[in-house]
Amino acid sequence: LHFPDFIFMPGPSIDGCFLETNGSEFFKETVSLYKLRILNDNPNMANFEFNSDAFGIKNAVSYPDRYLEPICDSINLYNPTAKKIVTVNNGIVEKNGNKWVVLTKAKIKYE
C-alpha cells in the first residue's frame, strides 16, 4: 500500500477541512494552495503549510475569509497586496473519513 509523502490541496471546504477527493500528489498551478506532508509513523496525520503560486496567493489574499482564516492565523496584519504568504509554523490535520480535519491552525505572515 502506497501512501503519498505529500498531498496538494486547494482551499479548505466551508467547514474548514480539506476534502480528500480534492487532493493531488502533484502541484496544480492556480489550484493548489496547501501542501500536506503525511507523517511517516501515522498516515492519518499530516502537517500542512501554505504553498501556492502567484495566482493562488492573489486569490487567497483577495478572499482570506474563504482560503486562509478558517485554517490559518496570521502573525502580522492582513495585507491585501501581499506577494507572498509565508508559513511560520505548520498546521496539523488528522484524517477522519474522507476529510482532513484541522487540529492546529498554521501560523502565516503576509509579505
Side-chain angles (χ1 to χ4, degrees), residues 3 7 12 14 23 42-43 60 63 68 83 89 99-100 107 111:
F3 293 106
I7 303 173
I14 297 300
N42 185 348
Y63 305 98
L68 298 170
K83 298 287 180 248
N89 284 0
K99 292 181 176 183
W100 289 93
K107 295 243 184 310
E111 289 185 354

Side-chain angles (χ1 to χ4, degrees), residues 25-44:
E25 284 191 51
F26 306 100
F27 181 85
K28 294 182 181 175
E29 284 184 37
T30 76
V31 174
S32 298
L33 293 181
Y34 291 93
K35 180 177 175 181
L36 278 60
R37 181 178 289 112
I38 310 300
L39 303 187
N40 290 335
D41 57 347
N42 185 348
N44 290 319

Side-chain angles (χ1 to χ4, degrees), residues 9-14 16-19 22 31-34 50 66-68 71:
M9 290 283 183
S13 60
I14 297 300
C17 299
F18 293 111
L19 298 179
N22 292 340
V31 174
S32 298
L33 293 181
Y34 291 93
F50 187 87
R66 170 75 181 91
Y67 295 115
L68 298 170
I71 60 173

Side-chain angles (χ1 to χ4, degrees), residues 21-93:
T21 52
N22 292 340
S24 168
E25 284 191 51
F26 306 100
F27 181 85
K28 294 182 181 175
E29 284 184 37
T30 76
V31 174
S32 298
L33 293 181
Y34 291 93
K35 180 177 175 181
L36 278 60
R37 181 178 289 112
I38 310 300
L39 303 187
N40 290 335
D41 57 347
N42 185 348
N44 290 319
M45 298 289 290
N47 58 42
F48 71 93
E49 62 188 340
F50 187 87
N51 181 310
S52 195
D53 56 17
F55 183 87
I57 292 166
K58 189 176 190 313
N59 219 7
V61 297
S62 297
Y63 305 98
D65 54 323
R66 170 75 181 91
Y67 295 115
L68 298 170
E69 291 163 7
I71 60 173
C72 297
D73 287 325
S74 176
I75 64 166
N76 62 353
L77 284 175
Y78 166 67
N79 177 358
T81 60
K83 298 287 180 248
K84 255 174 109 177
I85 296 172
V86 177
T87 304
V88 180
N89 284 0
N90 287 348
I92 299 170
V93 287

